[in-house]
Amino acid sequence: MSLSAKDKAVVKNFWAKVSPKSAEIGGEALGRMLTAYPQTKIYFSHWSDLSPSSAQVKKHGATIMAAIEDAVSKIDDLTGGLSALSELHAFKLRVDPANFRILSHNIILCMGMFFPADFTPEVHVSVDKFLQNLALALSEKYR
Amino acid sequence: MVVWTDFERTTIQDIFSKIDYAVVGQAAFSRCLIVYPWTQRYFGGFGNLYNAAAITSNPRVASHGKVIMEALEKAVKDMDNIKATYAELSALHSEKLQVDPDNFMLLGHCLTIVVASQLSKAFTPEVHAAFQKFLAVVVSSLRKQYY
């Protein structure tokens, strides 16, 4: 399910629209993931507040979305572009890659909520493919 | 036995009382067929599913979306007995329709997205968590009769 030229164009176009709300979407998506999928909380046991309104959650959500936005600019070589982040997730954070799908779902949900008119099924499929490919690039260094 | 908090019960009843089954059913089901095209394999007799526009305007997709929502309502009406409520539907999906059970959550994802877009701010993280739990129980019950 690799990205076609059309997928890349759709993703870049949509991300340009989403960019101003990027930090907010990130914080919201992370907060929802921790609330609706409580098993993901284990990776953040060092934080004092894991609720959606937590400053720690919002800040980290923004960080994640900024990294994803950077990946959009590297969409032609996600594996190369995400190499350093892959090493971080593989050797230091050791996040089970199954969780990437859970976070992707929550990001997509927030996009649907924040941009209901723009997030059509056609945009949704390209974004879903992009996030899947991103997750794959992020798991590259695991084994 | 699934244990529901009062908040979860009220939330699920509330969501289903607010949404239009025809609208939400059509939107969720068509989104599923578009975003996860391999799910189209189960709907060979539905006519034109060649592209997103065809799927969105397909009347059989629309009516089947409503059928799905009405089936979900059965679980909403008897939340303490979802496994029993879906025993027959589970056997149907496994033996007759032969649907890969991994597909159930794909439809669940699309339904969550449509409901979230409709309810907007009212779909808070806590409401979302309750809805997610409800869908997980529904999916688990539908998987029960698979060998």
Side-chain angles (χ1 to χ4, degrees), chain A residues 1 24 28 31-33 35-37 52 101 105-106 108-109 112-114 116 119-122 124-125 128 132, chain B residues 27 30-31 34-38 52-53 56 108-110 112-113 116-117 120-121 123-126 128-129 132:
Chain A
M1 292 188 257
E24 214 184 317
E28 179 99 19
R32 281 171 185 278
M33 184 186 81
T35 311
Y37 301 85
R101 186 174 295 194
H105 170 64
N106 283 282
I108 281 172
L109 184 102
M113 287 179 71
F114 279 67
F119 199 64
T120 61
E122 292 97 312
H124 180 169
V125 62
D128 191 77
Q132 257 199 36
Chain B
S30 59
R31 192 170 280 255
I34 294 166
V35 178
Y36 308 108
W38 54 92
T56 312
H109 286 331
C110 291
T112 310
I113 287 160
S117 303
S120 194
K121 289 289 164 204
F123 197 69
T124 63
E126 292 76 30
H128 177 180
Q132 184 56 39

Side-chain angles (χ1 to χ4, degrees), chain B residues 63-84:
Chain B
S63 65
H64 196 65
K66 191 168 174 225
V67 163
I68 295 171
M69 295 308 292
E70 282 160 356
L72 281 171
E73 188 187 55
K74 291 191 182 143
V76 175
K77 290 202 156 122
D78 194 2
M79 285 172 71
D80 293 308
N81 259 317
I82 296 178
K83 198 164 78 181

Side-chain angles (χ1 to χ4, degrees), chain A:
Chain A
M1 292 188 257
S2 54
L3 298 168
S4 66
K6 181 171 174 244
D7 289 320
K8 293 180 188 180
V10 167
V11 167
K12 285 186 169 164
N13 191 38
F14 185 67
W15 236 267
K17 287 192 188 125
V18 160
S19 191
K21 291 264 180 190
S22 181
E24 214 184 317
I25 289 175
E28 179 99 19
L30 186 62
R32 281 171 185 278
M33 184 186 81
L34 295 168
T35 311
Y37 301 85
Q39 70 270 24
T40 58
K41 289 201 271 193
I42 56 160
Y43 293 105
F44 304 98
S45 49
H46 53 286
W47 287 353
S48 52
D49 182 0
L50 291 169
S51 68
S53 53
S54 149
Q56 289 164 315
V57 170
K58 288 183 183 169
K59 180 165 174 249
H60 196 64
T63 304
I64 293 172
M65 277 304 273
I68 296 178
E69 191 156 349
D70 184 57
V72 173
S73 69
K74 296 171 178 165
I75 206 167
D76 291 314
D77 179 20
L78 286 171
T79 311
L82 288 165
S83 177
L85 273 174
S86 181
E87 281 192 22
L88 175 74
H89 284 76
F91 303 126
K92 191 162 171 251
L93 304 175
R94 294 200 232 199
V95 176
D96 187 318
N99 293 299
F100 298 151
R101 186 174 295 194
I102 298 177
L103 182 58
S104 296
H105 170 64
N106 283 282
I107 291 171
I108 281 172
L109 184 102
C110 289
M111 287 179 165
M113 287 179 71
F114 279 67
F115 296 92
D118 295 297
F119 199 64
T120 61
E122 292 97 312
V123 169
H124 180 169
V125 62
S126 295
V127 170
D128 191 77
K129 283 174 77 176
F130 167 65
L131 290 175
Q132 257 199 36
N133 279 274
L134 197 157
L136 207 58
L138 210 56
S139 0
E140 184 66 25
K141 296 275 159 69
Y142 273 66
R143 53 179 182 177

Side-chain angles (χ1 to χ4, degrees), chain B residues 2-139:
Chain B
V2 184
V3 178
W4 301 101
T5 64
D6 287 336
F7 172 78
E8 285 162 350
R9 274 182 208 279
T10 327
T11 299
I12 300 301
Q13 309 292 332
D14 195 50
I15 290 173
F16 276 80
S17 71
K18 284 194 170 105
I19 57 179
D20 180 325
Y21 289 2
V23 171
V24 169
Q26 189 272 343
F29 183 46
S30 59
R31 192 170 280 255
C32 184
L33 294 170
I34 294 166
V35 178
Y36 308 108
W38 54 92
T39 56
Q40 291 169 24
R41 76 187 304 279
Y42 304 111
F43 303 100
F46 271 40
N48 189 355
L49 297 176
Y50 300 139
N51 53 40
I55 292 170
T56 312
S57 56
N58 185 313
R60 289 202 61 182
V61 169
S63 65
H64 196 65
K66 191 168 174 225
V67 163
I68 295 171
M69 295 308 292
E70 282 160 356
L72 281 171
E73 188 187 55
K74 291 191 182 143
V76 175
K77 290 202 156 122
D78 194 2
M79 285 172 71
D80 293 308
N81 259 317
I82 296 178
K83 198 164 78 181
T85 306
Y86 284 151
E88 249 182 71
L89 267 175
S90 178
L92 174 76
H93 282 76
S94 130
E95 286 156 31
K96 187 161 173 257
L97 305 175
Q98 294 183 322
V99 176
D100 182 338
D102 286 342
N103 289 316
F104 298 147
M105 221 6 141
L106 297 181
L107 180 57
H109 286 331
C110 291
L111 182 59
T112 310
I113 287 160
V114 170
V115 168
S117 303
Q118 290 242 323
L119 299 181
S120 194
K121 289 289 164 204
F123 197 69
T124 63
E126 292 76 30
V127 167
H128 177 180
F131 195 66
Q132 184 56 39
K133 181 172 164 179
F134 172 71
L135 287 177
V137 173
V138 164
V139 167

